[in-house]
Amino acid sequence: MTYTPKSSPPPPGPGLPVLPAVPAQVAPAPPTGPGAHTPAPSSPPTGPRRTAFAEGVDQLRSAATTEPGRLRVIGALLALLVLAFGAVTAWQMTDRAAAADDVLTRSQPLSSDAADIYRSLADANTAASSGFLAGGQESAATRDRYERDIRTAAEKLVNAAANADPDSPSTRTIAKLNRLLPEYKGLVERARTYNRQGFPVGGAYLRYANEKMQRQMLPAAQDLYTKENQRLAADYAAATPYPWAAIALGLAALAALAWAQHRTYRRTNRVLNHGLVAATATATVVLLWLVVGHTLARAGLNDSFDHGVRSLNVLHDARIASLKARGNENLTLVARGAETKKVGDETYDAYDYDFGRDIKALATHLAAAGKLADDSAGERPLTAALGNMQEWQKRHGAAREQDENGNYQQALDRVIGAKGATGECFDSVDENLRTALAHEETEFKRAAGDGRDALTGMPAGAAVLAVLGAAGAVVGIGRRLSEYR
């Protein structure tokens, strides 16, 4: 028997080739000694690092695969939607409430102030011509009226300047009027002084003062009145549109809350979830408050415009037309034919021609104001003013006939006399228009005040209710989550 050691390979079997032995490879030893470098071990390659948002999305997607995770997502979305509804409602209604308040307390009063500036200037011009015609017999009432008109115009200009934006066109117009007013007053004083001394040059100074008033001051006052009316219209445009963004968010919030409650009912067979019901109730209250409150505010503001602002504008125009007519009537006697106007083949006294044009404008404005008047209190003064205007035309015709026949004193008595003069008709027209303006001003304030008051408290109330609704949604979802613990 032959003995074979375990370390020796087995003998080859029959028919198998004998393979040569392969020497084992030994890894080289790491270098040692001074200056030797040991390579750092290599790390496995890594991809680009993910953002926190991507990781959050993955976590949210992973959480949404379970019912508690889905409930958390639903609760968060419901709370955000209700809060967004409340925030947008508060934002939009704050803007509309501010615009409605501006309509009542700022824009319309400034528009009326601009109209008063025009009226005061025109009336001062009329009083100046009336005083000039009276000469040395100018009454204290006429003088006081002129001074009061100048003082009123100056005060209204100060108020308008205080409420106008520094770089606005209105500010430049106000500055122009402030510069022209003392110039005009100086010309009138010179005319009055020369007239009392019997110098004919006084009439020239008065005509120059009237030219400055008609060509520079009144157009500037009209421009200011137009700009303030544009500002008033802009405030109406900001206050009356429906808040569609808030309404859409409110409907979306109610739909989402209804879906969440239906989902809860289908999974638990429970009819009510107190938290979600509370959130639905608060969202419904806010939406109803928003729609009903703004509808009432819109109705009040529209009523204040249709039966307040429009009537006031027409009445202001009528009063201005009557003042211009009276001023031209007086200047017809002051000029004594020195100013003429040719229309076609006919030549007319310039001031008398303008008087006829102003009377026609007055009749047109009175007719328009009568159509806008919606009660007897507004109609009565307009009917009286129309009758006064017709009588004025008759008396003016008689005065012109006397003047054309060379009876200047008789014509003067029919214009500025104590009784039966055209001045009585003008004063009656002006007084009736003042009464109508006061009535329409009251109507405007009532309607605009109702519109503004309908929005009172809505922005703050919507914000508070939205927070309560969001809290209700979170509590309602929290009750469902507690069932999984």
PDB file of all heavy atoms in Angstrom, residues 397-411 414:
ATOM      1  N   GLY A 397     -86.057 141.291 -22.522  1.00  0.00           N
ATOM      2  CA  GLY A 397     -86.448 141.825 -23.828  1.00  0.00           C
ATOM      3  C   GLY A 397     -86.928 143.268 -23.737  1.00  0.00           C
ATOM      4  O   GLY A 397     -86.595 144.103 -24.602  1.00  0.00           O
ATOM      5  N   ALA A 398     -87.689 143.561 -22.662  1.00  0.00           N
ATOM      6  CA  ALA A 398     -88.175 144.945 -22.491  1.00  0.00           C
ATOM      7  C   ALA A 398     -87.017 145.891 -22.211  1.00  0.00           C
ATOM      8  O   ALA A 398     -86.979 147.034 -22.709  1.00  0.00           O
ATOM      9  CB  ALA A 398     -89.191 144.985 -21.348  1.00  0.00           C
ATOM     10  N   ALA A 399     -86.028 145.456 -21.420  1.00  0.00           N
ATOM     11  CA  ALA A 399     -84.866 146.301 -21.129  1.00  0.00           C
ATOM     12  C   ALA A 399     -84.048 146.552 -22.386  1.00  0.00           C
ATOM     13  O   ALA A 399     -83.575 147.690 -22.625  1.00  0.00           O
ATOM     14  CB  ALA A 399     -84.004 145.647 -20.044  1.00  0.00           C
ATOM     15  N   ARG A 400     -83.889 145.531 -23.219  1.00  0.00           N
ATOM     16  CA  ARG A 400     -83.115 145.706 -24.443  1.00  0.00           C
ATOM     17  C   ARG A 400     -83.818 146.666 -25.396  1.00  0.00           C
ATOM     18  O   ARG A 400     -83.176 147.456 -26.096  1.00  0.00           O
ATOM     19  CB  ARG A 400     -82.907 144.342 -25.137  1.00  0.00           C
ATOM     20  CG  ARG A 400     -81.978 143.414 -24.411  1.00  0.00           C
ATOM     21  CD  ARG A 400     -80.592 143.992 -24.209  1.00  0.00           C
ATOM     22  NE  ARG A 400     -80.000 144.393 -25.468  1.00  0.00           N
ATOM     23  CZ  ARG A 400     -79.235 145.458 -25.620  1.00  0.00           C
ATOM     24  NH1 ARG A 400     -78.975 146.250 -24.580  1.00  0.00           N
ATOM     25  NH2 ARG A 400     -78.718 145.751 -26.793  1.00  0.00           N
ATOM     26  N   GLU A 401     -85.137 146.606 -25.406  1.00  0.00           N
ATOM     27  CA  GLU A 401     -85.886 147.516 -26.275  1.00  0.00           C
ATOM     28  C   GLU A 401     -85.677 148.967 -25.856  1.00  0.00           C
ATOM     29  O   GLU A 401     -85.485 149.859 -26.714  1.00  0.00           O
ATOM     30  CB  GLU A 401     -87.372 147.145 -26.214  1.00  0.00           C
ATOM     31  CG  GLU A 401     -88.232 147.985 -27.142  1.00  0.00           C
ATOM     32  CD  GLU A 401     -89.692 147.581 -27.099  1.00  0.00           C
ATOM     33  OE1 GLU A 401     -90.007 146.607 -26.359  1.00  0.00           O
ATOM     34  OE2 GLU A 401     -90.507 148.223 -27.770  1.00  0.00           O
ATOM     35  N   GLN A 402     -85.672 149.211 -24.549  1.00  0.00           N
ATOM     36  CA  GLN A 402     -85.428 150.569 -24.060  1.00  0.00           C
ATOM     37  C   GLN A 402     -84.012 151.024 -24.404  1.00  0.00           C
ATOM     38  O   GLN A 402     -83.801 152.182 -24.817  1.00  0.00           O
ATOM     39  CB  GLN A 402     -85.648 150.626 -22.543  1.00  0.00           C
ATOM     40  CG  GLN A 402     -87.081 150.428 -22.113  1.00  0.00           C
ATOM     41  CD  GLN A 402     -87.980 151.590 -22.533  1.00  0.00           C
ATOM     42  OE1 GLN A 402     -87.538 152.747 -22.674  1.00  0.00           O
ATOM     43  NE2 GLN A 402     -89.249 151.297 -22.766  1.00  0.00           N
ATOM     44  N   ASP A 403     -83.039 150.139 -24.253  1.00  0.00           N
ATOM     45  CA  ASP A 403     -81.646 150.505 -24.531  1.00  0.00           C
ATOM     46  C   ASP A 403     -81.451 150.795 -26.010  1.00  0.00           C
ATOM     47  O   ASP A 403     -80.753 151.756 -26.385  1.00  0.00           O
ATOM     48  CB  ASP A 403     -80.731 149.377 -24.067  1.00  0.00           C
ATOM     49  CG  ASP A 403     -79.256 149.760 -24.138  1.00  0.00           C
ATOM     50  OD1 ASP A 403     -78.929 150.945 -23.916  1.00  0.00           O
ATOM     51  OD2 ASP A 403     -78.422 148.867 -24.413  1.00  0.00           O
ATOM     52  N   GLU A 404     -82.045 149.993 -26.869  1.00  0.00           N
ATOM     53  CA  GLU A 404     -81.888 150.204 -28.305  1.00  0.00           C
ATOM     54  C   GLU A 404     -82.588 151.475 -28.769  1.00  0.00           C
ATOM     55  O   GLU A 404     -82.212 152.069 -29.799  1.00  0.00           O
ATOM     56  CB  GLU A 404     -82.436 148.983 -29.059  1.00  0.00           C
ATOM     57  CG  GLU A 404     -81.558 147.742 -28.893  1.00  0.00           C
ATOM     58  CD  GLU A 404     -82.193 146.498 -29.481  1.00  0.00           C
ATOM     59  OE1 GLU A 404     -83.350 146.609 -29.967  1.00  0.00           O
ATOM     60  OE2 GLU A 404     -81.553 145.431 -29.444  1.00  0.00           O
ATOM     61  N   ASN A 405     -83.587 151.887 -28.019  1.00  0.00           N
ATOM     62  CA  ASN A 405     -84.274 153.144 -28.350  1.00  0.00           C
ATOM     63  C   ASN A 405     -83.596 154.367 -27.729  1.00  0.00           C
ATOM     64  O   ASN A 405     -84.116 155.494 -27.830  1.00  0.00           O
ATOM     65  CB  ASN A 405     -85.735 153.086 -27.878  1.00  0.00           C
ATOM     66  CG  ASN A 405     -86.551 152.095 -28.695  1.00  0.00           C
ATOM     67  OD1 ASN A 405     -86.247 151.843 -29.867  1.00  0.00           O
ATOM     68  ND2 ASN A 405     -87.587 151.528 -28.092  1.00  0.00           N
ATOM     69  N   GLY A 406     -82.463 154.153 -27.085  1.00  0.00           N
ATOM     70  CA  GLY A 406     -81.715 155.261 -26.515  1.00  0.00           C
ATOM     71  C   GLY A 406     -82.119 155.631 -25.110  1.00  0.00           C
ATOM     72  O   GLY A 406     -81.608 156.615 -24.564  1.00  0.00           O
ATOM     73  N   ASN A 407     -82.990 154.857 -24.496  1.00  0.00           N
ATOM     74  CA  ASN A 407     -83.423 155.145 -23.129  1.00  0.00           C
ATOM     75  C   ASN A 407     -82.560 154.333 -22.152  1.00  0.00           C
ATOM     76  O   ASN A 407     -82.990 153.323 -21.586  1.00  0.00           O
ATOM     77  CB  ASN A 407     -84.905 154.791 -22.957  1.00  0.00           C
ATOM     78  CG  ASN A 407     -85.797 155.588 -23.877  1.00  0.00           C
ATOM     79  OD1 ASN A 407     -85.554 156.780 -24.115  1.00  0.00           O
ATOM     80  ND2 ASN A 407     -86.827 154.947 -24.408  1.00  0.00           N
ATOM     81  N   TYR A 408     -81.339 154.786 -21.990  1.00  0.00           N
ATOM     82  CA  TYR A 408     -80.380 154.008 -21.186  1.00  0.00           C
ATOM     83  C   TYR A 408     -80.814 153.895 -19.734  1.00  0.00           C
ATOM     84  O   TYR A 408     -80.729 152.824 -19.133  1.00  0.00           O
ATOM     85  CB  TYR A 408     -78.993 154.648 -21.268  1.00  0.00           C
ATOM     86  CG  TYR A 408     -77.951 153.924 -20.438  1.00  0.00           C
ATOM     87  CD1 TYR A 408     -77.355 152.766 -20.905  1.00  0.00           C
ATOM     88  CD2 TYR A 408     -77.581 154.420 -19.188  1.00  0.00           C
ATOM     89  CE1 TYR A 408     -76.408 152.099 -20.149  1.00  0.00           C
ATOM     90  CE2 TYR A 408     -76.636 153.759 -18.416  1.00  0.00           C
ATOM     91  CZ  TYR A 408     -76.045 152.590 -18.909  1.00  0.00           C
ATOM     92  OH  TYR A 408     -75.118 151.934 -18.138  1.00  0.00           O
ATOM     93  N   GLN A 409     -81.281 154.976 -19.133  1.00  0.00           N
ATOM     94  CA  GLN A 409     -81.651 154.942 -17.726  1.00  0.00           C
ATOM     95  C   GLN A 409     -82.838 154.004 -17.486  1.00  0.00           C
ATOM     96  O   GLN A 409     -82.860 153.255 -16.496  1.00  0.00           O
ATOM     97  CB  GLN A 409     -81.992 156.347 -17.233  1.00  0.00           C
ATOM     98  CG  GLN A 409     -82.217 156.436 -15.719  1.00  0.00           C
ATOM     99  CD  GLN A 409     -81.006 155.987 -14.914  1.00  0.00           C
ATOM    100  OE1 GLN A 409     -79.870 156.380 -15.220  1.00  0.00           O
ATOM    101  NE2 GLN A 409     -81.239 155.159 -13.895  1.00  0.00           N
ATOM    102  N   GLN A 410     -83.815 154.051 -18.403  1.00  0.00           N
ATOM    103  CA  GLN A 410     -84.945 153.140 -18.258  1.00  0.00           C
ATOM    104  C   GLN A 410     -84.489 151.689 -18.380  1.00  0.00           C
ATOM    105  O   GLN A 410     -84.975 150.797 -17.663  1.00  0.00           O
ATOM    106  CB  GLN A 410     -86.027 153.431 -19.306  1.00  0.00           C
ATOM    107  CG  GLN A 410     -86.817 154.700 -19.065  1.00  0.00           C
ATOM    108  CD  GLN A 410     -86.097 155.927 -19.599  1.00  0.00           C
ATOM    109  OE1 GLN A 410     -84.895 155.871 -19.910  1.00  0.00           O
ATOM    110  NE2 GLN A 410     -86.821 157.043 -19.690  1.00  0.00           N
ATOM    111  N   ALA A 411     -83.562 151.454 -19.317  1.00  0.00           N
ATOM    112  CA  ALA A 411     -83.030 150.105 -19.463  1.00  0.00           C
ATOM    113  C   ALA A 411     -82.290 149.685 -18.198  1.00  0.00           C
ATOM    114  O   ALA A 411     -82.408 148.538 -17.735  1.00  0.00           O
ATOM    115  CB  ALA A 411     -82.109 150.042 -20.676  1.00  0.00           C
ATOM    116  N   ARG A 414     -84.645 148.689 -15.486  1.00  0.00           N
ATOM    117  CA  ARG A 414     -85.275 147.386 -15.719  1.00  0.00           C
ATOM    118  C   ARG A 414     -84.309 146.228 -15.452  1.00  0.00           C
ATOM    119  O   ARG A 414     -84.744 145.081 -15.382  1.00  0.00           O
ATOM    120  CB  ARG A 414     -85.798 147.301 -17.153  1.00  0.00           C
ATOM    121  CG  ARG A 414     -86.991 148.199 -17.420  1.00  0.00           C
ATOM    122  CD  ARG A 414     -87.438 148.096 -18.867  1.00  0.00           C
ATOM    123  NE  ARG A 414     -88.571 148.975 -19.129  1.00  0.00           N
ATOM    124  CZ  ARG A 414     -89.850 148.627 -18.995  1.00  0.00           C
ATOM    125  NH1 ARG A 414     -90.143 147.401 -18.594  1.00  0.00           N
ATOM    126  NH2 ARG A 414     -90.813 149.496 -19.259  1.00  0.00           N
TER     127      ARG A 414
END
